[in-house]
Amino acid sequence: MIMEKGISSVEVLPSKSSQVTAVKVVVKEPETKQTQRGKRVGFVLVHAGAGYHSESKAKEYKHVCKRACQKDSPFTNAGMGSNLNLLGEIECDASIMDGKSLNFGAVGALSGIKNPVSVANRLLCEGQKGKLSAGRIPPCFLVGEGAFRWAVDHGIPACPPGIMATRFSLAAFKRNKRKLELAEKVETDLIQLKKRRQSNEKGSRVMCRTCGRPSKANDGSRGGDQIELYSLENDSGTLDTVGAVVVDQEGNVAAAVSSGGLALKHPGRVGQAALYGCGCWAENTGARTPYSTAVSTSGCGEHLVRTILARECSCALQTEDAHQALLETMQNKFIGSPFLANEDGVLGGVIVLRSCRCSAEPELSQEKPTLLVEFLWSHTTESMCVGYMSAQDGKAKTHISRLPPGAVAGQSVAIEGGVCRLESPES
């Protein structure tokens, strides 16, 4: 395998609503060891979520990405230890798409299953078998209790709720509940304060029950209306949003994503990780698609759903310059999307790969079939953790991508990536 990676360079491009920062990777690395006879060939790129990754936990994040690359399933930490909803329960979303058959499988708001993506994968596989009895169409997307029963009926073991929630996720849930209760109390006090202002005479003073400070009514000041933003913790000690894009030696691509969702989400809420065209996308080369493409997303589910970002990125990657195409998609179809015009900041990230057949070296008399794979990641969040490896290497590389200093999360875009060439194994 030949890897091409590189030195970061920053491009600042104009945008109607935001600054867009692109970090492009473009250098070469020498060829690695020769492909061994009969050895599998392929490439995998994974993410452990787009959001905020503290420097103090950088090793932990990278370790998760490395494990994700090296395991058969890159979703060992999704489901178990995920964020808890308002009722203190774990509900997970997951989906998977096969670029060769274009089949899709997904689950939403699923509880009681350790690895939700295993259910999504089983749905995909069962769907490929054809119609059910009496000509019924097999399901590709199940939610809630129905998804759980289907999984158990198809031999996927259930996981007791007490095991699903870890001490880290339970501790984060308790802290978040306290923050929520305090924020709601502050908002209630402010509403009552406004009502008192309207009924009191000009210049009268009222007391705020929360802070105990006097507040002057009708003086034009909004000092009493200022609320501290109580941010909820979405990092409960394990990474609960993961995704992967892969390509094999034949050029077949696939993509998947699995997520526990936002902390204190409403029970029954389904995010982008379960929805067609939003959480992941995979499509082999065809008559109208010169490149095989695979995409997996992360971030604010509502933003990703309303922009159908996975499908948008896949379509954009059919143009010649993958880096520029992804940059323009993140800028125009995501940050600048009219469907998100009222949002202060648009938060999300993607990993993408595209592949095509090419000859190895023109001077060789006997050319080996070579697969050119371009892989990129892009995010508008403060950071994104990724890992990648080829089946020939056997060793994963990990990286935490961050917005450059001065860039504003939700208004800026970072892009990095590289290129590798996969030689088919000797017969």
Side-chain angles (χ1 to χ4, degrees), residues 357-379:
R357 288 288 177 190
C358 63
S359 58
E361 297 292 341
E363 63 269 16
L364 295 179
S365 56
Q366 294 182 344
E367 295 181 352
K368 298 179 182 179
T370 303
L371 196 65
L372 178 66
V373 180
E374 299 172 83
F375 57 98
L376 297 162
W377 50 88
S378 177
H379 56 96

Side-chain angles (χ1 to χ4, degrees), residues 24-25 48 62 64-65 73 79 102 106 114 140 162 194 204 206 211 252 256 261 283 334 351 360 364 408-409 411 418:
K24 188 175 181 180
V25 179
K62 290 181 178 181
V64 171
C65 276
S73 170
L102 301 181
K114 183 179 179 181
C140 68
K194 289 180 181 179
S204 65
V206 294
C211 61
N252 299 313
E283 189 170 357
F334 194 52
I351 55 172
L364 295 179
V408 180
Q411 300 177 6

Side-chain angles (χ1 to χ4, degrees), residues 288-367:
R288 295 182 296 177
T289 52
Y291 298 97
S292 294
T293 57
V295 183
S296 181
T297 69
S298 176
C300 176
E302 282 68 22
H303 294 172
L304 297 163
V305 168
R306 289 158 65 187
T307 52
I308 319 177
L309 188 61
R311 176 72 195 280
E312 290 283 3
C313 289
S314 177
C315 293
L317 289 172
Q318 297 301 328
T319 58
E320 184 175 351
D321 189 335
H323 173 271
Q324 185 64 26
L326 183 59
L327 173 62
E328 292 178 358
T329 300
M330 294 295 289
Q331 179 182 4
N332 301 326
K333 301 291 187 178
F334 194 52
I335 286 181
S337 171
F339 300 102
L340 300 176
N342 295 326
E343 298 292 339
D344 294 331
V346 180
L347 300 171
V350 298
I351 55 172
V352 306
L353 69 76
R354 76 174 188 182
S355 66
C356 65
R357 288 288 177 190
C358 63
S359 58
E361 297 292 341
E363 63 269 16
L364 295 179
S365 56
Q366 294 182 344
E367 295 181 352

Side-chain angles (χ1 to χ4, degrees), residues 59-130:
K59 288 185 178 179
E60 178 184 346
Y61 299 135
K62 290 181 178 181
H63 178 66
V64 171
C65 276
K66 186 173 291 187
R67 286 183 60 195
C69 285
Q70 294 171 338
K71 296 287 185 180
D72 290 334
S73 170
F75 305 98
T76 53
N77 289 331
M80 194 169 180
S82 294
N83 290 319
L84 277 62
N85 65 16
L86 276 172
L87 300 180
E89 301 169 340
I90 290 178
E91 292 182 329
C92 297
D93 306 324
S95 63
I96 186 168
M97 187 169 181
D98 173 32
K100 184 177 182 180
S101 65
L102 301 181
N103 282 351
F104 174 83
V107 291
L110 174 62
S111 298
I113 300 295
K114 183 179 179 181
N115 295 320
V117 76
S118 64
V119 186
N121 186 57
R122 187 63 180 271
L123 279 165
L124 184 151
C125 294
E126 291 296 320
Q128 291 178 326
K129 296 179 180 179

